[in-house]
Amino acid sequence: MRMTEEMRKALRITVDYTNMTDKYLGDKGYGAKKFDELKKTIKAAHAYVSGNRGKDELFMGWTELPYNQDAIVKDILETAKAVRKKFDYFVVLGIGGSALGPIMAFQALCHLHHNDLPKSKRKGPKFYVEDNVDPVRMKELLDVIDLKKTCFNVISKSGATSETMAQYLIISELLKKNGLSVKEHMIFTTDAKKGNLVKISASLGGVKSYVLPDGVGGRFSELSPVGLLPAAVLGIDIKLLLKGAAFMDKLCKSADVKKNPALLCAALQFMAMRDGKNVGVMMPYSDNLRYVADWYAQLWAESLGKNVTLDGTPCNAGQTPVKALGVTDQHSQVQLYTEGPFDKVVTFLSVGSYKQKSPIPHGCEDIPDVSFLGGHTMEELIQAENKATAYALTKAGRLNYTIDLPEVNEFTLGQLLFLFEMQTAYAGAMLNIDTFNQPGVEAGKKATFALLGKPGYEEQKQQLDAAASDPAYRV
Ligand code: PA5
């Protein structure tokens, strides 16, 4: 789609932080004085992020993804077309950063019941992301797909993630048993040189493979082939997604915290964290955006949850992300957000114009509890409930802000993803931690290797066996 400047402006997402300010929250909020006290930190964070853009050695390669993938996008679009022609099912095998992005984009930009639609009404094959090793889930996936008509996208930067590689072994064995070619039914997305999938591809005579660039970590990879291939297969306009990201990138370059949405959100969250707001609730008022909260949870948690600063000082940085859905969770969690511990910042994702309005007919005229709804739309209802929840939280003195999406489409989703990635990079710089490593995840991966007898992990296996649960503490 060609985007004019006017269209870009109309689709620009904005951050409304009224309910984080001292004007509306008194001394619990953040005003000119607190921003002023943070000036140096904000300036340093901005300088760090802008000074290190694109540096692979610092895992900042993701900043350039909106600009440096023309040839890759062309190739992906050709592959996607061929996949759509040949296959009825597309299954992603991956986990964490290699799964949450594809899930999010699918939910955001496809029909909410995509897999239940008849083929003629879908823009792509039925889509599944297997991001767990629950044995029931694996078996039951096999009950609903037709292996002959399925393309598997194995996504793993390392090619050494037990979950993904176990799935790879199961599926490749099954393909072979059914007389099907592994090479024909698989596409790999992995590291250019290092990952085991490179070796496996060579042993199979060259599986179609896409590269997850060196300087792009899993949780920052949605705009790389990790996310672009599944999205393109589903008929999502990936060029527009990248354009949205580039548009937001431009806004996020400003050194002025009041003009740069990512720097602003990072500064607000940083101040809140310092004030003991250890919980960050992400609450989209849109089913399409519900898995943005899951994707963001990984980005924010894995990036900021660190126990040491860059200069080696022990710390316990981070903020626990909580996923909520408006309006559904108004009826389960909002009571806690309003009256429970004052340890949260709530981020709402609001939508200006939904794809559907769904008018509510008049009826039950003699029952005022019901009749007032008639003549409105479900769009009006969800927007009113969103506004009402923000109002109630503010009245209770609770920090909350809103990211407004004029509508949910590729351009706005691209903006949103890039905003969150930039916000995370800025927040990590403010906390002075390594935003891009994940030693805590790797510790769990290694312990699994040991438990399942991977050579080289014998000592850890002994330690794990010795740490077996104590029967004295079982009831
Ligand atoms: O963000 C990350 O780095 C992790 O969540 C990884 O994406 C996840 O552990 C999967 O790793 P890999 O892509 O190597 O299989």
Side-chain angles (χ1 to χ4, degrees), residues 243-394:
K243 276 187 194 161
F247 181 69
M248 179 52 66
D249 184 30
K250 220 163 139 192
L251 302 174
C252 294
K253 280 183 176 153
S254 173
D256 181 345
V257 69
K258 297 288 170 64
K259 292 203 174 120
N260 176 334
L263 193 57
L264 174 70
C265 292
L268 290 168
Q269 293 282 10
F270 177 75
M271 289 189 281
M273 280 187 249
R274 253 188 357 191
D275 289 346
K277 308 296 175 272
N278 298 320
V279 180
V281 178
M282 176 65 64
M283 190 161 184
Y285 271 73
S286 155
D287 272 85
N288 283 122
L289 297 178
R290 88 180 285 169
Y291 291 118
V292 170
D294 288 58
W295 172 83
Y296 170 83
Q298 186 209 11
L299 182 71
W300 197 241
E302 220 168 89
S303 301
L304 304 188
K306 302 291 153 69
N307 66 7
V308 66
T309 63
L310 285 175
D311 51 26
T313 311
C315 68
N316 288 106
Q319 186 190 52
T320 305
V322 168
K323 307 171 273 184
L325 177 67
V327 305
T328 309
D329 284 306
Q330 281 179 207
H331 297 267
S332 76
Q333 298 192 47
V334 165
Q335 171 63 31
L336 174 80
Y337 303 164
T338 314
E339 294 187 1
F342 186 31
D343 59 355
K344 298 171 196 63
V345 180
V346 179
T347 306
F348 294 111
L349 301 182
S350 303
V351 178
S353 174
Y354 291 75
K355 268 193 306 203
Q356 311 292 342
K357 310 294 170 205
S358 298
I360 304 169
H362 289 283
C364 302
E365 298 303 342
D366 53 335
I367 311 173
D369 283 347
V370 180
S371 63
F372 77 97
L373 294 164
H376 289 290
T377 62
M378 286 183 82
E379 179 183 76
E380 285 171 346
L381 181 58
I382 194 169
Q383 287 171 336
E385 294 202 35
N386 186 170
K387 203 168 171 183
T389 305
Y391 170 81
L393 283 175
T394 310

Side-chain angles (χ1 to χ4, degrees), residues 94-99 155-161 164 212 217-221 298 302 436 438 441-442 445:
I95 197 163
S98 296
I155 308 180
S156 177
K157 184 162 175 127
S158 59
T161 302
T164 308
L212 209 174
R219 57 192 177 273
F220 287 83
S221 68
Q298 186 209 11
E302 220 168 89
F436 304 103
Q438 53 283 325
V441 179
E442 275 142 29
K445 283 190 182 185

